[in-house]
Amino acid sequence: MNSDQVKKGFQRAPHRGLFMATGVKREDFDKPFIGVCNSYVDVIPGHCHLNKVGAWIKKCIRAAGGVPFEFNTIGICDGIAMGHGGMKYSLPSRELVADSVESMVKAHCFDAMICIPNCDKIVPGMILGAIRANIPTIFASGGPMKAGTLDGKAVDLISIFEGVAQLNSGKITEADLERVESAACPGCGSCSGMFTANSMNCLCEAIGLALPGNGTILAEDKARRKLWKKAAARIVEMAKAESPKPRDLITLASIDNAFALDMAMGGSSNTVLHTLAIAHEAGIQYDLDRINAISQKCPNVCKVAPSCSYHMEDVDAAGGIPAILKRIAGIKGLVDKSCPTVSGKTLGKMIASAKAKNDQVIRTVENAYSKDGGLTIMRGNLAEQGAVVKKAGVMPSMLTFEGTAICFNSEEEACAGILAGKVKPGHVVVIRYEGPRGGPGMQEMLNPTSYIMGAGLGESVALITDGRFSGGTRGACIGHVSPEAAEGGLIGLLKDGDRIRIDIPGRKLEALLDDGEVARRRAAAPAWQPRNLSGWLRRYSLMVGNASSGAALM
């Protein structure tokens, strides 16, 4: 066992003494040592209950014959960090989580690990760390939040963000907004729609890192407690067998499976960023055009808020991720059912008995929302290295759009401009210098996109950015534009009044400028000046790659 390095032989007597000081018994040294990587923090709704989850999982590990050692990572709530300078730390925190996981496992020689993430950057951060550590690992998330209800309708976090713009435009009162904010987030769990956290927790099932139900069983559902117990027992088995390890599970084929699920359910555009980073960490060459190839043959059979009124509890009741995978597995070459999973079964065997229980929530292939997937990779002179749009959240009338640029050099400028009424029908809002390097940290743009929707401009205004979007974003919003403005990308040379053409079915994003005009602007443009930074953000801005490589550190 890996832990023999710190517990076996006379030379490890000091180590055993230190272990016994923590409560380890003499008889425990022949048992597998299991790291319990928790992301409990009080400030995130998806994580505020994870101290109790960690205690339960440790109890179950002991019962299964293992010795648990809990440690924590940091966690940032994107919703609370949004709309101010704190959001610059969100994407960079993925790297801090990964580094902490790697450090703890390598320093203490655990035999296996169970990861308890839930929200946003924490899930991919733990995956990156698990790849580096490469010991048997199961992901057992904290579970999604139940949707709120108000006047008989489902509401969620996005309802509050859009309510801000509705109040600003006089469509609702302050009392109305207070009612929404009091109802939208009824308890613990990752926010209730197909936002980034739930998207990544669902993808963990498809990639083979988590047991069925990981992505959809509600945080406060009794079935979630059973899932944690099952994961705890299974990780002890995996520790004794010393397999499978993350690098056995994360392969070109399993990443294809993850993206197939992503396309089928219209996941967050952030999944592209994170899954590319995961592939990079695993040493797998994976480019954006491969994602488009999967999208072209994968129908969008499931939509979840913000793309429709269904929430995670509806998906779970309808059969969950296994049912979605089974729906699309019959399409030739789309799902590789031979891929191994942490269950000990292949993906095919894991989904064999699955059944879709509601054909409205999980549609048949014949009755899909669209014949292609919920995410689209776009190219063109504005996105030579690619851009991403959540096609499942775009109204049909906006799938093709030509408009006039109105440019902002930060998210803050854009928010102020939208709320001040500067954005009019026919505009393409351009938000730049918000990429991984230029931001730095690639801020999520849920505020401006929600303000556009809340102001009733969702079918007359588009938005492009070298930043990224929350999974809660909907509308004709194109992010991850690469190269970013700070790298000299064309997005940084645009001027108010330029014409921009968006063709989502044709996968094209273009500024209607001739080559001569682009060359003149490029020659006259001043060199990009990085923001005045200190501390971690300064180091991050110097090391980070662009979005087309998953914003992986170089």
Side-chain angles (χ1 to χ4, degrees):
M1 288 192 288
N2 192 48
S3 60
D4 286 350
Q5 298 178 76
V6 292
K7 68 184 184 184
K8 293 293 185 179
F10 73 92
Q11 293 169 308
R12 295 297 179 250
H15 302 64
R16 290 192 294 273
L18 291 169
F19 276 121
M20 286 189 280
T22 70
V24 175
K25 305 298 183 185
R26 180 71 63 181
E27 58 269 23
D28 290 334
F29 289 112
D30 289 327
K31 301 174 183 177
F33 282 11
I34 311 295
V36 179
C37 177
N38 203 338
S39 51
Y40 160 69
V41 291
D42 282 336
V43 75
I44 309 178
H47 294 242
C48 62
H49 63 305
L50 297 187
N51 56 338
K52 297 176 182 177
V53 175
W56 170 244
I57 285 176
K58 286 192 291 182
K59 181 179 179 180
C60 295
I61 288 173
R62 290 189 188 98
V67 183
F69 295 93
E70 186 174 9
F71 64 93
N72 279 74
T73 70
I74 65 164
I76 288 178
C77 178
D78 280 18
I80 295 174
M82 203 167 291
H84 57 89
M87 178 47 74
K88 294 181 185 296
Y89 288 88
S90 172
L91 183 59
S93 75
R94 184 185 75 185
E95 312 309 320
L96 297 178
V97 171
D99 290 348
S100 66
V101 173
E102 176 190 8
S103 300
M104 287 297 293
V105 174
K106 292 291 189 179
H108 301 106
C109 300
F110 301 128
D111 296 305
M113 176 168 59
I114 188 163
C115 288
I116 314 173
N118 221 20
C119 295
D120 296 299
K121 308 315 136 326
I122 296 139
V123 184
M126 286 188 180
I127 296 175
L128 296 177
I131 292 169
R132 297 175 197 170
N134 203 35
I135 59 174
T137 301
I138 287 182
F139 277 69
S141 79
M145 182 188 296
K146 183 177 176 60
T149 56
L150 184 65
D151 299 330
K153 295 182 179 180
V155 290
D156 54 40
L157 179 64
I158 309 309
S159 307
I160 310 176
F161 274 101
E162 294 183 1
V164 172
Q166 291 169 346
L167 174 63
N168 185 71
S169 59
K171 294 181 178 180
I172 63 173
T173 66
E174 288 190 20
D176 293 329
L177 181 59
E178 186 173 324
R179 291 183 69 227
V180 176
E181 72 178 76
S182 297
C185 301
C188 67
S190 48
C191 294
S192 55
M194 188 46 64
F195 314 145
T196 305
N198 292 330
S199 297
M200 290 304 302
N201 284 325
C202 290
L203 261 60
C204 281
E205 294 187 43
I207 210 168
L209 289 168
L211 298 175
N214 179 72
T216 59
I217 299 173
L218 293 184
E220 297 182 295
D221 189 326
K222 291 180 180 178
R224 174 65 62 172
R225 191 173 174 92
K226 294 178 181 177
L227 178 66
W228 292 321
K229 182 178 181 179
K230 188 174 182 180
R234 177 61 185 149
I235 198 60
V236 174
E237 294 174 355
M238 289 167 62
K240 292 177 179 178
E242 300 185 15
S243 71
K245 298 175 182 178
R247 288 182 180 271
D248 300 325
L249 301 172
I250 299 172
T251 63
L252 186 66
S254 71
I255 292 175
D256 282 348
N257 287 343
F259 274 123
L261 173 67
D262 211 6
M263 298 305 165
M265 65 192 308
S268 164
S269 59
N270 278 324
T271 57
V272 174
L273 192 73
H274 297 317
T275 308
L276 288 175
I278 289 165
H280 179 270
E281 189 66 56
I284 298 167
Q285 295 294 320
Y286 207 101
D287 62 39
L288 292 170
D289 292 331
R290 191 177 183 94
I291 300 172
N292 256 348
I294 293 171
S295 179
Q296 287 175 311
K297 60 185 177 183
C298 184
N300 180 200
V301 298
C302 180
K303 283 192 179 185
V304 186
S307 300
C308 76
S309 60
Y310 297 126
H311 288 80
M312 295 309 296
E313 60 224 67
D314 301 307
V315 178
D316 190 59
I321 301 310
I324 297 174
L325 287 170
K326 190 171 183 181
R327 275 273 156 94
I328 62 172
I331 299 171
K332 186 177 180 180
L334 188 56
V335 175
D336 188 333
K337 294 187 283 188
S338 70
C339 288
T341 74
V342 292
S343 70
K345 302 175 182 178
T346 63
L347 185 69
K349 289 182 179 179
M350 196 171 76
I351 66 174
S353 61
K355 182 179 180 181
K357 304 171 186 176
N358 186 324
D359 287 345
Q360 295 304 309
V361 177
I362 303 174
R363 293 189 174 191
T364 62
V365 169
E366 295 73 22
N367 188 39
Y369 288 100
S370 63
K371 293 181 180 179
D372 57 358
L375 294 175
T376 297
I377 306 301
M378 303 184 72
R379 300 277 190 177
N381 65 356
L382 267 174
E384 294 176 18
Q385 296 174 354
V388 183
V389 62
K390 187 175 181 176
K391 177 177 173 285
V394 180
M395 290 72 70
S397 62
M398 293 295 288
L399 289 172
T400 57
F401 183 78
E402 186 175 313
T404 303
I406 179 169
C407 301
F408 302 98
N409 289 332
S410 69
E411 181 193 11
E412 292 80 6
E413 279 187 20
C415 288
I418 296 166
L419 291 177
K422 292 181 180 179
V423 174
K424 307 293 186 184
H427 271 148
V428 177
V429 176
V430 177
I431 307 178
R432 57 201 180 187
Y433 298 102
E434 289 289 7
R437 181 170 298 177
M442 211 177 183
Q443 295 192 91
E444 287 187 346
M445 303 292 166
L446 183 55
N447 274 331
T449 59
S450 296
Y451 295 166
I452 287 169
M453 298 303 294
L457 297 170
E459 294 194 62
S460 58
V461 168
L463 186 153
I464 68 170
T465 180
D466 53 8
R468 63 195 173 92
F469 299 116
S470 161
T473 289
R474 61 191 177 103
C477 302
I478 300 166
H480 305 199
V481 169
S482 298
E484 61 176 293
E487 293 180 290
L490 181 56
I491 189 172
L493 304 177
L494 294 176
K495 297 179 180 179
D496 288 353
D498 287 342
R499 298 293 290 176
I500 295 174
R501 181 179 296 149
I502 296 168
D503 179 3
I504 295 174
R507 298 174 171 81
K508 286 288 186 180
L509 177 62
E510 297 178 313
L512 304 183
L513 300 170
D514 61 45
D515 292 344
E517 176 62 17
V518 172
R520 284 188 291 273
R521 291 189 188 185
R522 195 174 298 283
W528 170 67
Q529 296 296 318
R531 302 180 195 272
N532 186 20
L533 301 169
S534 62
W536 163 230
L537 283 184
R538 181 177 181 276
R539 299 198 306 276
Y540 179 83
S541 70
L542 296 173
M543 295 187 293
V544 70
N546 75 19
S548 67
S549 63
L553 294 188
M554 296 183 291

